[in-house]
Amino acid sequence: MRLDENEGAFTIPEFGKIQFEGFCRFIDQGLMEELHNFPKIEDTDKEIEFSLFGNEYELAEPFIKERDAVYQSLTYYSELYVPARSIRRNSRKIQKQTVFLGNIPLMNSHGTFVVNGIYRIVVNQILISPGIYYRSELDHNRINYIYTGTLISDWGRRSKLEIDVGERIWARVSRKRKISIPVLLSAMGLNLEEILDNTHYPKRFLFLLKKKERWEREEYLWSREKAILEFYKKLYCVSGDLVFSESLCKELQEKFFRQRCELGKIGRRNLNQKLNLDIPENEIFSLPQDVLAAVDYLIGVKFGMGTLDDIDHLRNRRIRSVADLLQNQFRLTLGHLEDTVRRTIHGATKRRSTPQNLVTSTLFKNTFQDFFGSHPLSQFLDQTNPLTEIAHGRKLSHLGPGGLTGRTASFRTRDIHPSYYGRICPIDTSEGMNAGLVSSLSIHAKIGDCGSLQSPFYKISERSREEHMVYLLPGEDEDEYYRIATGNSLALNQGIQEEQITPARYRQEFIVIAWEQIHFRSIFPFQYFSVGVSLIPFLEHNDANRALMGSNMQRQAVPLFRPEKCIAGTGLEGQAALDSGSVAIATQEGRIEYIDAVNITSSINGDTVRTESVIYQRSNTNTCTHQKPQVRQGECVKKGQILADGATTVGGELSLGKNVLVAYMPWEGYNFEDAILISERLVYEDIYTSFHIVRYRIEICMTSQGPERITREIPHLDAHSLRHLDENGLVMLGSWIETGDVLVGKLTPQTTEESLCTPEGRLLQTIFGIEVSTARESCLRAPIGGKGRVIDVRWINRVDDSGDNAETVHVYISQKRKIQVGDKVAGRHGNKGIISIILPRQDMPYLQNGIPVDMVLNPLGVPSRMNVGQIFECLPGLAGNLMNKHYRITPFDEKYEREASRKLVFPELYKASEQTANPWVFEPDHPGKHRLIDGRTGAVFEQPVTIGKAYMSKLSHQVDEKIHARSSGPYARVTQQPLRGKSKRGGQRIGEMEVWALEGFGVAYILQEMLTLKSDHIRTRNEVLGAIITGGPIPKPDTAPESFRLLIRELRSLALELNHAIISEKDFQIDREEV
Amino acid sequence: MIRDKISVSIQTLRWKCIESRAYSKRLHYGRFALSPLRKGRADTIGIAMRRALLGEVEGTCITRVKLENIKHEYSAIIGIEESVHDILMNLKEIVLRSDSYGIREASIYIVGPRNVTAQDIILPPSVKIIDTTQHIARLTKSITSDIRLQIEKNRGYIIHSSNNYQDGIFPIDAVFMPVRDANYSIHSYGSGNEIQEVLFLEIWTNGGLTPREALYEASRNLIDLFIPFLHGEEQNIDGMNNKKGSNMLPFPLSHVLTDTGETKEKIAFKHIFIDQLELPPKTYNSLRRANIHTLLDLLNYSREDLMKIEHLEKESVEQVLEVLRKRFAIDPPRN
């Protein structure tokens, strides 16, 4: 047990801490460790010796700022310098020099990296710790239980020990192949005496040997060579005679023992603990003793001694963080470096060479570039809003190298385990294929050493009844050993001494016991949940599935123009905003000297600090980041005070949506099936207006005919589409772009033959003998839905390693999108919907004081989804709106009292109705409901309707990005059917059910058209265009379409011939036809 | 029985302002009563009035802003705390009051450092600012800035979907809705067959109009909408003495317009916009650029004048004249 004593008050650890703690561990310890392990290198003649002074490494300050790196599409890195020494034995010359090893990408203050101008984040991986795990499982006949011990190496490779029905013990190396334990043991270098001496069950081993045939026993049990040969044969299925050789032994070492049996430090510790061994911790490979002890334990398990393991328990899992991943990469690269130094040092004996000449710096650059570019755990940072950024950094993924895959993971591993309490959020996970595999860290949890997850609790001291905070590890001897109360003593029935009982957690069970017997209590009701979930007010009234959607959808909320704080919140909004780094914070106290939209200057005692604010910058996901100053010139600020609010913060609180007046009532069917109807007010008052900044890029390449050219003069295009270009051929700043306008005019050189291929080229050539243009236009055009204002044009010139000059032009277009029919909006309780209609304000139902409702939701969306929190939320919303109050409500108040939330909400409404003299706000007959009036007729609706201010956000699923139509376009290679998806200009699939629908209507011609000439009947679809243009008859498909022909071909390859034949009625002549 | 009913209807309808209050410059409140009304009538009038108040009342707003040396609204000006877009949004908030239709010009000329509020706007004579404390920008350096504004009176709201304007002109999606909210309630009194009703109308405005004016304007606009019913179908337009009425006529107007008086014709022409003439876009655009928006504007030009308009070629002029001749049987005035 770890006792991290932190007396008194606690704070929630910073949300981004998990990321930079990891990175700091790499910089502080990982680098040093690996550099320290770098060996002394000598050449073959032992003339030169090369060594590194690992503990004197230096990281240079990055020479560009993070923001410039993003701007110029560069990597934000620091240079690693290590002192090195080379000794020449013959000349007794010692050269010491600081060598430049390479670049290491640096993490910024938000826990992210900038690689090639793109924000990236390294997600923490959660995987099974190396060690041995015993289980009982059904054998392949599913009759008998067999006992197995699975040995998991540091790299995630498994090998299994098992006792079968015939009491024999095997080591299973793959699904098919298994090796008998005596063979393995003697191949690893134990002889029979040693085996028998060290086991607790010598008789069983003798029994094992007896089962073997006599000659076998005599043959190889006593000689290691024979055992290795046998092992090798079994392992690689080699038949025939093999001769023992050193190389074979080495190969086995390399391939099997190194890869499968590397335990690592953690594995060694786990194994020592489990098998009660006493092997030093730096022995990172498994030894024969381990295997023997493991077999012993397995036999013990069979006899009912020892314990079986729960592999899903968090005790048996560890977190592989940025530190470990980077350290691995670093180790690999150092290995490569070692090889290169060895190679170069050989030739360096004659030449005079400095240590710097021996090492190359490109190795590190390439490794880290590859790692950040292509490793599955280094992910493109989701920057839709600040919450998304934090949540992304706090993800724990079971996927990735050494982990599971979405297809193969079982239900058990996806399920919530009792040991998750307070460590991994039981709610927050992705939906669909990765459900349960990508989960989220709870807000209070932290990563201990060895990658274990710890959760804090209050320890209740027996004597003084004082409380102090303690971090507990998962596991039987840790938190499961104690009785941990889920609540606190306030929830007890104070009056009666006998009834001081409380629900508690003990050994993975929930029990109800007396308060005196409690060892620990939880420190915060939200302790169990992730950041996203803990932003949901009245969470306890929601079904977990909907809370999951709620937390996921908050991460998709688009920053709105003029954000608004939520009226009913949970109180964590402040920290979420602060830790996201989207607000500008005073780094020191001082007086604000100067302020404008771009920077804020403060000064104290003559030294000035300039804070640059972000204005209308593009984020990774095309949303807009922006900062607005919140301080006045001349004001004095304290350290840590907010200088500027971000795009989704107000007064330092995260605000992802808007408070709008909602009514839960049906309205002419326009809110059928989760559709939502809204008032025009949300459009014209810019309530749900968001900015989106899209980047379009074009590369200027070198072709075989010469370089491409950026120019304004493009003969192929009319002046209208070129109107925004300046004299260089780039779009002018501030121009308004419509679909199809040219953003960058570019000409690609072409050979004359190529240009002659075009009909007009040939015509010109033949008639006038004019030399046609030798270039083809390859302009960058604004795509469909790409209209907006050009806010930036960047010409990026980059010289890569091979000396090539890669030029790219980036054009940034900003769009202002108002809410429209088809956009998705959602609340925080998983109540999502699509806008179905926008009504004028006079048509909306209105309250008794004349205020029209903003949004009408379907009441039927509540009961089946069981997210009652939305109803609870909107009532204090209404009260708070009237009284100008904001509520921050801790969840799970129902444990103190029955109906506590209701008791909290209704008095607020009552107060509001009293204070503002609006009697309609609280009507005792139907509290929380109001008589609404139809704006079109003036008639009062039949039933009172629940209304209130709900906090709704607009999500990043917007029609503008999704709308798509196809008249013609690409086809799939094999089936010749149109492709799928907007990005490929695809069509809409007429699937089975759609065909049924058409059949049901009896529209034979439409159906035929859909299945042939609009899809995969190649001949007719080519002819149909001409037919439409000339007004001729539409061609009639009389042969089978391509996909049917494909089917025939596939059947033929299965040796089935399918043909159709027509037998004439008159003369019975058979007329075969090839399909 | 019948006599009773008649006696009720004989009573003249009266309206009265019960309460009128200005909570602030931007929030005016008025409460009006209309009585006596026969049972059911209050509802008829109430809902119609509420809808007319919310939808039919006109307001004045800044619709276009011209800023010098600014490429786009997503930029910042050194020495100003707000970004250009924020300044535009602050300008959108300004509540104006204007009696005249058409586009007006206003400007702001400022020298920093200081706070710029709506007070600094130099207005044309017919326009007035309601709340002069509306914040526009905060200048923190000694810079000068010249902002030109275009003011329009209209109803509803506009959204500029495309903005093909020259450099430095930024359209604002203006909201011309002076009525913030409207409500009505009905109180009945009397008993038996003599139930009578009082209609209470509550109006909140943003100050661009007082509630009383809003009430007046809404009822006038509502009446205008009913006027066509006072005339028979296909009737001569003579009886129509309101400019709005002609707006309701189906197009083309040629057969009606031939025998109307000169002034009426003019009024009618004022409400026919040139985009109804179905001219080719090029011609249309050049006419627009020359500030020709309605038929009336067009008729002020002679053939020679039209020729002088920039980018308008001879064929286009002929085309315009052809359309005028065909559809309206008008020849352009000669110089």
Side-chain angles (χ1 to χ4, degrees):
Chain A
M1 190 173 88
R2 286 171 55 83
L3 290 172
D4 253 6
E5 270 153 69
N6 179 0
E7 300 286 333
F10 68 91
T11 49
I12 299 171
E14 198 184 333
F15 290 145
K17 206 173 168 186
I18 176 170
Q19 286 287 338
F20 19 87
E21 265 187 356
F23 190 69
C24 289
R25 212 160 46 234
F26 168 65
I27 293 291
D28 292 343
Q29 300 164 21
L31 273 182
M32 180 101 73
E33 243 169 63
E34 297 305 330
L35 286 171
H36 194 72
N37 289 342
F38 192 81
K40 272 184 190 169
I41 300 170
E42 292 178 329
D43 67 334
T44 40
D45 307 332
K46 306 220 172 201
E47 277 184 8
I48 301 182
E49 186 193 284
F50 175 84
S51 58
L52 288 178
F53 294 91
N55 41 5
E56 291 170 33
Y57 76 91
E58 276 169 35
L59 281 170
E61 194 163 309
F63 65 87
I64 45 167
K65 277 199 237 156
E66 176 207 332
R67 201 181 288 176
D68 297 334
V70 177
Y71 193 87
Q72 293 166 28
S73 292
L74 295 174
T75 305
Y76 179 61
Y77 64 83
S78 161
E79 290 175 338
L80 174 67
Y81 291 94
V82 182
R85 184 180 59 185
S86 66
I87 303 170
R88 280 171 190 269
R89 291 257 161 73
N90 49 3
S91 59
R92 296 184 176 276
K93 221 167 96 183
I94 299 175
Q95 251 187 328
K96 195 169 174 185
Q97 188 186 20
T98 306
V99 296
F100 167 55
L101 275 191
N103 301 332
I104 292 179
L106 278 191
M107 185 180 269
N108 64 14
S109 57
H110 309 178
T112 56
F113 296 92
V114 180
V115 180
N116 293 335
I118 295 166
Y119 283 104
R120 292 198 151 259
I121 199 157
V122 180
V123 172
N124 291 295
Q125 194 183 18
I126 179 163
L127 28 81
I128 301 169
S129 344
I132 190 155
Y133 301 102
Y134 290 95
R135 287 204 301 175
S136 71
E137 52 190 73
L138 284 169
D139 66 354
H140 54 272
N141 298 324
R142 306 212 166 258
I143 307 162
N144 300 307
Y145 274 99
I146 52 169
Y147 291 92
T148 59
T150 315
L151 190 73
I152 291 170
S153 77
D154 205 18
W155 297 96
R157 299 287 296 266
R158 297 162 179 230
S159 31
K160 226 179 201 178
L161 302 171
E162 56 184 55
I163 304 189
D164 67 1
V165 193
E167 304 279 299
R168 280 171 300 180
I169 305 174
W170 301 98
R172 194 176 276 279
V173 288
S174 75
R175 189 161 282 208
K176 289 259 175 67
R177 268 155 280 163
K178 51 187 183 179
I179 291 160
S180 125
I181 284 294
V183 177
L184 177 69
L185 284 176
S186 50
M188 285 176 90
L190 286 186
N191 58 34
L192 186 63
E193 275 163 39
E194 282 169 321
I195 295 175
L196 294 181
D197 282 350
N198 287 315
T199 174
H200 293 103
Y201 309 99
K203 280 187 185 164
R204 288 203 76 85
F205 271 89
L206 285 172
F207 168 77
L208 284 181
L209 297 172
K210 265 181 206 146
K211 284 222 156 185
K212 297 255 159 210
E213 278 135 60
R214 199 170 189 75
W215 64 271
E216 268 191 328
R217 201 195 328 161
E218 279 171 6
E219 280 278 326
Y220 58 78
L221 255 180
W222 312 111
S223 97
R224 189 174 174 222
E225 281 91 37
K226 287 276 164 58
I228 285 175
L229 269 184
E230 173 75 15
F231 187 44
Y232 192 85
K233 274 188 203 166
K234 279 270 166 65
L235 191 60
Y236 298 110
C237 283
V238 193
S239 54
D241 285 342
L242 268 174
V243 189
F244 178 76
S245 63
E246 271 304 312
S247 67
L248 193 140
C249 188
K250 209 172 178 181
E251 192 188 332
L252 205 63
Q253 265 304 336
E254 280 286 307
K255 278 196 177 162
F256 186 77
F257 294 115
R258 267 204 172 267
Q259 284 184 9
R260 298 243 178 164
C261 304
E262 186 182 341
L263 292 167
K265 265 187 195 161
I266 302 167
R268 171 51 64 198
R269 194 181 300 168
N270 288 344
L271 213 63
N272 281 356
Q273 209 171 18
K274 179 80 190 169
L275 303 176
N276 205 3
L277 295 170
D278 195 21
I279 295 166
E281 280 208 355
N282 44 12
E283 188 59 70
I284 56 165
F285 291 96
S286 47
L287 302 174
Q289 287 95 301
D290 298 329
V291 180
L292 194 60
V295 172
D296 257 10
Y297 199 93
L298 184 65
I299 297 169
V301 164
K302 169 100 178 161
F303 290 145
M305 287 142 71
T307 48
L308 294 177
D309 296 285
D310 179 0
I311 206 150
D312 298 320
H313 198 287
L314 269 190
R315 177 186 56 218
N316 300 328
R317 311 237 152 192
R318 73 184 171 107
I319 306 292
R320 191 193 272 171
S321 66
V322 210
D324 304 306
L325 289 166
L326 287 178
Q327 197 173 340
N328 279 342
Q329 296 297 321
F330 193 73
R331 187 186 311 139
L332 288 176
T333 333
L334 272 185
H336 290 302
L337 185 72
E338 196 184 316
D339 294 344
T340 36
V341 171
R342 269 185 215 289
R343 254 179 282 128
T344 45
I345 208 168
H346 190 66
T349 43
K350 310 207 169 67
R351 283 178 279 113
R352 295 166 59 86
S353 63
T354 56
Q356 179 69 69
N357 294 6
L358 291 173
V359 300
T360 51
S361 59
T362 48
L363 274 176
F364 278 95
K365 196 179 164 193
N366 292 343
T367 324
F368 284 114
Q369 206 79 334
D370 286 353
F371 171 75
F372 282 104
S374 60
H375 197 275
L377 292 172
S378 148
Q379 295 176 357
F380 183 75
L381 178 65
D382 192 352
Q383 277 185 314
T384 313
N385 63 49
L387 175 69
T388 326
E389 273 177 65
I390 312 175
H392 202 175
R394 296 174 63 84
K395 264 188 187 163
L396 299 172
S397 172
H398 282 89
L399 307 168
L404 305 162
T405 54
R407 285 157 205 273
T408 57
S410 67
F411 280 104
R412 281 189 56 172
T413 47
R414 292 164 186 260
D415 215 344
I416 307 160
H417 194 272
S419 59
Y420 282 9
Y421 272 91
R423 299 187 177 87
I424 297 179
C425 179
I427 291 177
D428 200 348
T429 176
S430 52
E431 288 177 84
M433 221 174 65
N434 291 337
L437 297 180
V438 180
S439 38
S440 198
L441 195 74
S442 302
I443 50 172
H444 276 285
K446 68 170 200 180
I447 296 184
D449 44 341
C450 305
S452 61
L453 278 175
Q454 300 175 344
S455 177
F457 292 97
Y458 271 129
K459 187 173 171 63
I460 300 170
S461 158
E462 293 273 330
R463 276 166 285 125
S464 54
R465 313 300 293 170
E466 271 175 4
E467 296 179 335
H468 59 263
M469 202 168 81
V470 168
Y471 274 97
L472 287 187
L473 288 167
E476 254 153 41
D477 46 345
E478 291 279 351
D479 70 341
E480 280 168 23
Y481 173 74
Y482 298 107
R483 289 180 280 271
I484 301 169
T486 50
N488 52 27
S489 61
L490 290 174
L492 302 175
N493 193 343
Q494 294 293 354
I496 310 153
Q497 198 61 37
E498 295 83 59
E499 286 186 19
Q500 300 238 339
I501 50 170
T502 179
R505 219 148 47 78
Y506 181 55
R507 292 189 183 267
Q508 302 199 358
E509 297 280 349
F510 278 105
I511 52 171
V512 177
I513 49 164
W515 182 254
E516 270 90 49
Q517 289 174 296
I518 293 294
H519 299 121
F520 290 96
R521 72 170 180 85
S522 61
I523 60 173
F524 190 47
F526 270 133
Q527 185 177 4
Y528 310 114
F529 303 113
S530 66
V531 188
V533 176
S534 44
L535 290 173
I536 305 174
F538 297 106
L539 170 73
E540 71 273 25
H541 299 280
N542 286 340
D543 182 40
N545 292 307
R546 287 285 149 176
L548 180 151
M549 291 183 197
S551 78
N552 281 344
M553 285 185 306
Q554 282 186 76
R555 292 198 263 118
Q556 299 168 10
V558 171
L560 298 175
F561 161 70
R562 277 196 205 150
E564 210 172 72
K565 275 189 218 181
C566 53
I567 296 176
T570 61
L572 254 86
E573 291 83 4
Q575 183 161 12
L578 218 61
D579 290 354
S580 73
S582 66
V583 288
I585 286 174
T587 47
Q588 62 165 46
E589 66 175 357
R591 190 170 164 276
I592 303 293
E593 293 291 322
Y594 172 72
I595 192 164
D596 72 8
V598 189
N599 62 59
I600 301 167
T601 315
S602 69
S603 75
I604 182 165
N605 301 336
D607 59 324
T608 54
V609 178
R610 204 165 139 248
T611 317
E612 263 183 61
S613 39
V614 181
I615 55 157
Y616 300 107
Q617 290 291 312
R618 173 184 173 268
S619 77
N620 262 351
T621 40
N622 289 344
T623 52
C624 166
T625 52
H626 183 61
Q627 284 177 337
K628 267 188 196 169
Q630 291 299 310
V631 285
R632 294 273 158 272
Q633 201 161 336
E635 198 177 317
C636 287
V637 290
K638 288 268 187 306
K639 187 181 173 183
Q641 191 178 333
I642 292 161
L643 292 181
D645 260 327
T648 51
T649 63
V650 176
E653 281 195 284
L654 191 70
S655 30
L656 299 169
K658 286 275 200 176
N659 296 301
V660 288
L661 191 63
V662 299
Y664 287 89
M665 61 180 290
W667 199 93
E668 301 282 318
Y670 274 106
N671 47 20
F672 176 63
E673 293 276 13
D674 282 351
I676 290 175
L677 83 142
I678 59 166
S679 157
E680 237 172 13
R681 188 178 84 91
L682 307 189
V683 180
Y684 64 75
E685 281 191 9
D686 283 332
I687 292 189
Y688 285 107
T689 300
S690 54
F691 297 109
H692 298 261
I693 300 171
V694 191
R695 179 174 70 184
Y696 299 102
R697 51 190 296 173
I698 188 168
E699 273 183 44
I700 300 142
C701 308
M702 196 68 191
T703 64
S704 55
Q705 302 298 315
E708 291 181 325
R709 211 147 48 83
I710 300 257
T711 171
R712 200 204 140 83
E713 308 301 320
I714 293 175
H716 316 69
L717 297 173
D718 56 339
H720 179 76
S721 56
L722 298 172
R723 66 188 183 282
H724 295 306
L725 299 187
D726 63 6
E727 62 271 23
N728 298 320
L730 296 178
V731 71
M732 279 179 287
L733 213 62
S735 34
W736 178 265
I737 297 296
E738 298 274 353
T739 300
D741 289 347
V742 173
L743 300 175
V744 178
K746 194 179 75 168
L747 287 176
T748 309
Q750 215 175 14
T751 53
T752 23
E753 289 87 71
E754 269 181 287
S755 43
L756 277 181
C757 289
T758 58
E760 69 270 17
R762 263 188 315 227
L763 187 72
L764 286 173
Q765 177 75 37
T766 43
I767 298 176
F768 304 109
I770 297 173
E771 198 58 37
V772 286
S773 76
T774 53
R776 178 165 56 84
E777 64 99 2
S778 49
C779 298
L780 177 68
R781 288 153 180 275
I784 292 166
K787 70 175 178 185
R789 187 78 80 177
V790 176
I791 60 164
D792 205 354
V793 181
R794 293 177 198 171
W795 189 314
I796 288 154
N797 228 330
R798 207 165 31 163
V799 183
D800 56 6
D801 299 330
S802 49
D804 286 344
N805 200 0
E807 282 176 283
T808 330
V809 178
H810 291 182
V811 178
Y812 290 76
I813 292 183
S814 170
Q815 301 180 330
K816 190 174 170 183
R817 291 197 196 142
K818 297 193 177 238
I819 195 162
Q820 54 182 322
V821 171
D823 282 353
K824 187 178 181 186
V825 289
R828 288 171 292 178
H829 309 271
N831 46 341
K832 54 184 172 187
I834 307 291
I835 306 292
S836 60
I837 193 174
I838 300 173
L839 286 180
R841 57 177 182 165
Q842 61 264 35
D843 286 354
M844 292 300 282
Y846 64 95
L847 311 188
Q848 289 169 46
N849 64 349
I851 295 174
V853 160
D854 289 327
M855 208 177 254
V856 184
L857 305 175
N858 196 339
L860 295 179
V862 185
S864 60
R865 277 67 179 270
M866 296 182 286
N867 44 0
V868 190
Q870 55 180 311
I871 311 286
F872 275 104
E873 178 201 336
C874 73
L875 297 184
L878 184 68
N881 183 50
L882 288 169
M883 296 191 288
N884 216 354
K885 256 189 188 176
H886 292 259
Y887 300 95
R888 295 293 175 259
I889 301 153
T890 333
F892 299 106
D893 50 359
E894 304 255 336
K895 68 187 167 195
Y896 302 114
E897 201 180 2
R898 278 180 70 91
E899 304 281 0
S901 300
R902 202 192 279 238
K903 283 174 187 164
L904 176 82
V905 163
F906 286 153
E908 287 304 321
L909 273 183
Y910 181 73
K911 255 190 257 169
S913 113
E914 292 280 293
Q915 271 185 26
T916 58
N918 279 324
W920 56 270
V921 176
F922 186 83
E923 286 172 276
D925 295 345
H926 37 78
K929 290 190 180 185
H930 307 273
R931 291 268 170 208
L932 290 199
I933 304 156
D934 193 337
R936 297 163 303 167
T937 62
V940 179
F941 287 108
E942 215 169 296
Q943 297 278 329
V945 174
T946 308
I947 59 147
K949 284 264 175 178
Y951 196 60
M952 307 288 280
S953 16
K954 177 165 121 178
L955 305 190
S956 62
H957 301 277
Q958 293 173 26
V959 256
D960 275 348
E961 289 161 12
K962 310 220 163 175
I963 201 156
H964 166 64
R966 159 175 171 144
S967 56
S968 66
Y971 297 95
R973 222 2 125 56
V974 180
T975 58
Q976 285 298 321
Q977 286 169 351
L979 294 176
R980 244 175 91 180
K982 187 187 176 189
S983 55
K984 285 174 280 189
R985 293 214 300 129
Q988 275 303 315
R989 183 179 160 83
I990 303 282
E992 245 181 298
M993 298 178 73
E994 289 78 8
V995 170
W996 301 339
L998 292 173
E999 282 170 356
F1001 277 110
V1003 283
Y1005 282 96
I1006 291 181
L1007 183 58
Q1008 193 195 28
E1009 202 178 272
M1010 295 279 188
L1011 297 180
T1012 55
L1013 55 85
K1014 284 181 176 172
S1015 172
D1016 58 348
H1017 199 274
I1018 301 173
R1019 186 180 54 81
T1020 46
R1021 85 174 174 220
N1022 291 338
E1023 286 170 8
V1024 79
L1025 174 72
I1028 292 171
I1029 290 172
T1030 56
I1034 299 291
K1036 206 170 176 254
D1038 45 4
T1039 52
E1042 193 61 27
S1043 54
F1044 183 72
R1045 284 158 52 81
L1046 177 71
L1047 174 73
I1048 302 299
R1049 299 303 185 277
E1050 283 188 7
L1051 285 176
R1052 273 188 197 157
S1053 57
L1054 296 171
L1056 293 169
E1057 170 77 341
L1058 190 70
N1059 263 330
H1060 75 93
I1062 301 161
I1063 304 176
S1064 159
E1065 264 182 35
K1066 288 172 203 151
D1067 49 359
F1068 298 106
Q1069 200 192 337
I1070 297 175
D1071 185 13
R1072 280 185 195 282
E1073 239 180 277
E1074 173 81 359
V1075 192
Chain B
M1 202 89 157
I2 292 166
R3 200 174 294 157
D4 283 348
K5 270 191 181 170
I6 289 166
S7 70
V8 171
S9 62
I10 278 173
Q11 277 184 316
T12 47
L13 274 173
R14 283 171 193 281
W15 73 278
K16 202 163 79 184
C17 176
I18 298 170
E19 197 182 341
S20 173
R21 202 188 287 179
Y23 290 98
S24 68
K25 280 183 177 166
R26 304 259 197 105
L27 182 59
H28 290 242
Y29 171 72
R31 190 150 177 260
F32 307 93
L34 182 70
S35 68
L37 290 159
R38 228 161 46 184
K39 190 168 184 296
R41 254 190 202 165
D43 214 15
T44 315
I45 302 171
I47 190 71
M49 278 307 293
R50 178 174 187 269
R51 291 180 62 84
L53 278 166
L54 289 176
E56 303 286 337
V57 179
E58 292 184 326
T60 314
C61 233
I62 296 169
T63 52
R64 247 162 255 174
V65 178
K66 185 169 176 159
L67 290 160
E68 292 297 334
N69 301 326
I70 302 296
K71 291 280 186 195
H72 55 83
E73 60 262 57
Y74 307 100
S75 55
I77 306 168
I78 291 169
I80 299 184
E81 220 172 273
E82 282 87 0
S83 71
V84 176
H85 188 265
D86 291 338
I87 296 173
L88 295 182
M89 286 303 120
N90 288 338
L91 288 170
K92 182 183 172 177
E93 299 285 302
I94 292 173
V95 180
L96 296 165
R97 183 194 177 103
S98 152
D99 301 325
S100 56
Y101 289 81
I103 296 168
R104 305 271 143 175
E105 301 267 338
S107 64
I108 312 173
Y109 182 75
I110 26 169
V111 183
R114 57 176 288 208
N115 270 359
V116 183
T117 60
Q119 187 141 32
D120 301 310
I121 302 178
I122 302 154
L123 287 167
S126 57
V127 186
K128 211 179 101 191
I129 289 176
I130 298 303
D131 185 4
T132 48
T133 58
Q134 166 66 38
H135 173 79
I136 295 173
R138 187 166 281 124
L139 273 65
T140 50
K141 262 190 185 170
S142 57
I143 52 165
T144 60
S145 162
D146 189 17
I147 306 175
R148 305 204 157 269
L149 311 168
Q150 251 180 38
I151 296 166
E152 251 179 87
K153 188 168 185 177
N154 209 333
R155 77 176 54 155
Y157 62 95
I158 42 169
I159 290 174
H160 297 266
S161 55
S162 76
N163 47 16
N164 256 328
Y165 300 106
Q166 328 97 269
D167 272 2
I169 294 189
F170 302 103
I172 297 180
D173 293 346
V175 182
F176 314 96
M177 293 186 185
V179 179
R180 282 188 164 196
D181 208 346
N183 196 18
Y184 75 95
S185 54
I186 301 158
H187 292 261
S188 38
Y189 60 93
S191 61
N193 293 320
E194 290 174 33
I195 292 180
Q196 295 190 7
E197 289 176 338
V198 187
L199 172 72
F200 290 100
L201 272 170
E202 288 178 288
I203 302 168
W204 291 263
T205 66
N206 68 357
L209 283 176
T210 60
R212 201 183 284 256
E213 289 164 330
L215 186 69
Y216 173 78
E217 187 149 336
S219 29
R220 205 192 60 208
N221 289 341
L222 199 58
I223 292 166
D224 288 350
L225 293 176
F226 289 125
I227 280 185
F229 292 122
L230 299 183
H231 311 289
E233 243 180 310
E234 290 285 312
Q235 210 199 0
N236 200 322
I237 199 130
D238 261 350
M240 201 173 294
N241 50 6
N242 193 288
K243 55 175 182 164
K244 287 285 180 302
S246 55
N247 222 359
M248 306 302 293
L249 279 174
F251 197 77
L253 296 166
S254 52
H255 68 285
V256 199
L257 289 172
T258 42
D259 54 357
T260 46
E262 178 76 6
T263 48
K264 304 251 168 64
E265 193 176 34
K266 261 194 180 159
I267 291 163
F269 287 161
K270 193 181 168 188
H271 289 276
I272 297 171
F273 290 94
I274 53 163
D275 34 5
Q276 285 165 293
L277 303 182
E278 287 164 15
L279 294 170
K282 199 180 156 196
T283 322
Y284 172 70
N285 284 334
S286 12
L287 286 178
R288 282 296 293 262
R289 240 173 269 137
N291 256 336
I292 300 175
H293 297 285
T294 62
L295 205 53
L296 189 66
D297 295 339
L298 186 62
L299 289 177
N300 290 336
Y301 285 80
S302 68
R303 174 193 290 262
E304 287 71 33
D305 291 338
L306 284 175
M307 293 290 202
K308 281 177 202 152
I309 292 174
E310 217 180 337
H311 305 300
L312 201 63
E313 285 149 23
K314 200 175 169 217
E315 297 89 84
S316 312
V317 174
E318 291 301 326
Q319 212 170 3
V320 173
L321 298 177
E322 176 75 18
V323 169
L324 286 180
R325 217 170 293 129
K326 258 194 185 164
R327 290 213 176 159
F328 304 98
I330 325 173
D331 278 319
R334 296 187 200 293
N335 273 16

